[in-house]
Amino acid sequence: MSNVFGDELLGMILPIVEQRMRDPNWRLRESATLAIGAVSEGCTTGLTPFLPQLIEFLVPSLEDPRPMVRSTTCWTLSRFSRWVVQLAFPARPGDPPPATAEQGKMFFDKIINGLLRRVVDHNKHVQAAACGALATLESEAREDIAPWLGPVVTALAQAVHAYQRKNMRCAFDAVSTLAECGGDALRSPDVAKALLPPLLQKWESGGDAQPDLYQLLECVTAVCAGVGLGAQEFAAPVFARALHLAQTQLTLREAEIRAGANNTDFSYVPDHVICALDLLSGIADGLGNAAEALVAAHADALRNVIVACVSDPHSPGVRRSAFALVGDVAKSGAGAHIIPSLPQIMECAAANLKPNMVMAYNMSTCNNACWSAGEIAAAFPAEVVAPYAQTLGASFVGVLQMQMIQRSLGENAAIALGRFAMRCPEQLSAGFGELLSPWCGALRRLRDGVEKEHAFAGLVKLVQVNAQGGVGPGLVDMMNAIASWQYVRSAELHANLMSVLRGYEQLLGAEQWGQLMNALQPAVQRKLGNFASTNQRN
């Protein structure tokens, strides 16, 4: 009703809600609390002036003797998380605090401390509601939760230690959300020492056959990636155990295949392979350069697992997670240890980018195949990457030429193509004219950042090797792509792009250059004319 009638409802319900919130009958108090949460979305504008009073009413209800009231209050407060965060914190890092910051932080403090008390409530329904509300508040506050990080981590560690199975997934979700949203404040050994031991104890006590292993290891993965080097103390045994889990499951898969479809004695679980691969990725991503020693210690086993998983004929999820692991290992600086298996990995990446594989069921695998190939190109020297440049370059171009392609896949293909061009432009220069239009069409949609810089660095390399190949219809798309920059952080890239513009102006001559400019939209012409100042902040 609130979504249909909006603020018109408030005149009818607010007097009743205010009266019932003070009623000695707990059922009436709970119904009033539920009603406020239910209309929060449809009546946001009308409720805004009353929210300070509502929060002052609701927070004490977290201590209500009736579990149902406490549980409903958790949910209702979560519905106002975004409003409280907007009241308390700047919209973006670096922005000045809002005028309401003092009041907002007071409300935030009351709400989060009240929710943390309910996270360790003795009632299971209240525990679940509090964890859900805390996860919502974490996702809204993000790195602004830093001043409350200590109490949050302590309460969640207690929850993981104490909860029974029914509520454990709620605790995992709250821990994972904190790890993914908490920002740099989480990158501390203290956070790792608080959160990882109870999680790893759950893994140890329940073993690899426990029903909630996937959710548990998802949570461990999020924590390892979130705390980064803070997890170094735990990384070696966790890495080894995750790798062993993957090996065990792959052995079961092979035994199952040999035994045939009618034999059900084996317990191969693809999801267990996926969560093991994701955990290995999370450790590599979190530790960065420090992961090299772990990868080196298990290089042979890791390569075997990766090859077996990127070539999995049945599970897109297994292939997706395997390509993610390849990319994270390459990005961490430990990629030298997977070079012996690059032929198989790159072959499988190209196979997953064929038209018959670029389907909805396999889309995340296609994305990761593109991304991991690009990370390999960025991490390794030209002599390592060159043997795969033409094959994968053709695959990327094929993806970019597809109609109605998922935007993220087009972006990943454009970035990966740029990284290969950056490393070995000679291998791609012959087809420069054919790839230019679809490639630049994707490049112009990229957000400014390191990945866009890599992609355009590859474009510059191809122009330097075969400028004449760019002359044609694709040159309009190139100009549009260059004009898409808001700010070119790299002075070298900015200078190179200026050279590209001047070079084509000289190559085409005044008449053809004028025709090219006339083919562009006026806004693009202005941006190109002012491109010399694109790497200057206002």
Side-chain angles (χ1 to χ4, degrees):
M1 289 178 67
S2 67
N3 287 325
V4 175
F5 295 103
D7 294 339
E8 295 177 27
L9 280 179
L10 293 179
M12 292 181 281
I13 68 168
L14 281 180
I16 300 172
V17 165
E18 184 176 0
Q19 178 186 354
R20 289 192 171 190
M21 278 187 164
R22 296 187 175 94
D23 200 287
N25 186 329
W26 71 268
R27 290 181 175 84
L28 295 181
R29 295 198 304 275
E30 192 272 339
S31 68
T33 303
L34 181 64
I36 284 296
V39 302
S40 61
E41 185 174 325
C43 304
T44 303
T45 303
L47 276 176
T48 297
F50 302 100
L51 282 174
Q53 298 97 303
L54 285 172
I55 289 175
E56 294 292 352
F57 271 123
L58 290 168
V59 170
S61 296
L62 290 170
E63 312 298 330
D64 196 280
R66 290 290 181 167
M68 185 64 74
V69 176
R70 300 198 299 275
S71 173
T72 302
T73 302
C74 289
W75 175 78
T76 297
L77 283 170
S78 75
R79 305 275 284 181
F80 300 120
S81 294
R82 180 168 298 176
W83 177 83
V84 173
V85 168
Q86 290 173 348
L87 204 65
F89 306 112
R92 291 177 297 273
D95 286 358
T100 55
E102 185 176 350
Q103 182 189 39
K105 288 180 180 179
M106 179 184 70
F107 288 149
F108 188 90
D109 184 74
K110 288 182 177 181
I111 292 171
I112 196 167
N113 283 314
L115 291 177
L116 293 178
R117 290 192 294 274
R118 300 288 65 82
V119 165
V120 293
D121 198 284
H122 63 274
N123 183 276
K124 293 181 179 180
H125 296 290
V126 179
Q127 291 171 358
C131 281
L134 181 61
T136 301
L137 194 62
E138 290 167 350
S139 65
E140 293 291 347
R142 302 192 70 80
E143 63 273 3
D144 290 319
I145 204 169
W148 294 269
L149 190 59
V152 171
V153 167
T154 299
L156 290 177
Q158 292 174 357
V160 172
H161 178 75
Y163 282 11
Q164 300 300 309
R165 183 189 170 194
K166 187 174 181 180
N167 278 352
M168 190 59 69
R169 290 190 183 185
C170 300
F172 291 161
D173 180 58
V175 172
S176 298
T177 304
L178 178 66
E180 291 163 1
C181 299
D184 291 341
L186 266 80
R187 294 183 169 272
S188 158
D190 293 337
V191 174
K193 288 176 181 176
L195 292 177
L196 283 175
L199 291 170
L200 297 179
Q201 176 57 37
K202 291 290 180 186
W203 191 4
E204 182 66 32
S205 60
D208 291 343
Q210 58 185 291
D212 297 325
L213 181 67
Y214 187 88
Q215 291 76 20
L216 169 60
L217 294 192
E218 271 191 328
C219 185
V220 175
T221 299
V223 173
C224 287
V227 302
L229 287 171
Q232 200 161 5
E233 175 185 342
F234 305 92
V238 174
F239 193 93
R241 182 160 183 187
L243 185 58
H244 180 263
L245 172 60
Q247 289 175 304
T248 301
Q249 286 296 316
L250 292 173
T251 301
L252 289 172
R253 185 186 73 178
E254 293 305 313
E256 194 175 85
I257 291 171
R258 288 195 300 270
N262 295 326
N263 195 317
T264 59
D265 294 339
F266 302 99
S267 55
Y268 168 60
V269 183
D271 280 353
H272 288 183
V273 180
I274 292 170
C275 63
L277 294 170
D278 289 346
L279 181 49
L280 293 169
S281 289
I283 294 172
D285 181 41
L287 294 185
N289 291 338
E292 197 278 334
L294 287 178
V295 175
H298 303 279
D300 290 341
L302 185 64
R303 285 197 302 272
N304 290 338
V305 165
I306 287 173
V307 170
C309 292
V310 295
S311 59
D312 187 296
H314 302 297
S315 172
V318 169
R319 297 196 300 273
R320 176 201 67 215
S321 294
F323 282 121
L325 176 56
V326 169
D328 281 321
V329 169
K331 191 171 66 169
S332 74
H337 300 289
I338 63 172
I339 286 178
S341 297
L342 276 187
Q344 300 98 308
I345 293 170
M346 294 303 216
E347 180 183 354
C348 291
N352 276 276
L353 297 175
K354 291 180 178 178
N356 65 317
M357 296 296 286
V358 183
M359 302 289 180
Y361 78 94
N362 199 46
M363 196 59 66
S364 59
T365 305
C366 299
N367 264 306
N368 283 0
C370 274
W371 173 77
S372 62
E375 290 295 337
I376 287 171
F380 297 148
E383 59 269 20
V384 174
V385 176
Y388 317 105
Q390 289 185 346
T391 300
L392 278 164
S395 297
F396 301 143
V397 173
V399 168
L400 293 170
Q401 289 174 333
M402 293 179 187
Q403 299 295 317
M404 302 296 291
I405 195 66
Q406 188 188 69
R407 177 168 177 167
S408 62
L409 179 57
E411 291 178 352
N412 277 322
I415 293 164
L417 180 58
R419 285 172 163 170
F420 272 86
M422 183 174 64
R423 281 286 179 260
C424 37
E426 293 81 6
Q427 279 73 22
L428 298 172
S429 63
F432 187 29
E434 289 73 23
L435 64 83
L436 190 56
S437 285
W439 187 24
C440 288
L443 289 179
R444 68 183 297 189
R445 293 191 293 269
L446 296 178
R447 291 180 292 274
D448 292 359
V450 173
E451 291 181 325
K452 185 171 181 175
E453 289 176 5
H454 285 178
F456 273 81
L459 176 63
V460 167
K461 289 279 190 181
L462 280 177
V463 171
Q464 291 170 346
V465 171
N466 183 15
Q468 188 65 47
V471 176
L475 201 52
V476 171
D477 297 293
M478 187 195 297
M479 296 299 112
N480 284 323
I482 294 174
S484 71
W485 282 97
Q486 301 298 317
Y487 173 69
V488 185
R489 185 186 61 173
S490 166
E492 180 183 2
L493 176 61
H494 182 265
N496 286 336
L497 289 173
M498 287 295 299
S499 296
V500 167
L501 293 174
R502 287 193 294 264
Y504 275 113
E505 185 175 8
Q506 294 172 5
L507 180 63
L508 294 176
E511 183 180 351
Q512 289 189 53
W513 179 256
Q515 292 172 358
L516 174 64
M517 290 297 106
N518 289 335
L520 302 173
Q521 294 292 325
V524 174
Q525 293 180 37
R526 287 193 299 272
K527 292 196 72 174
L528 291 176
N530 297 325
F531 194 75
S533 59
T534 307
N535 69 334
Q536 298 174 10
R537 291 290 193 191
N538 293 329

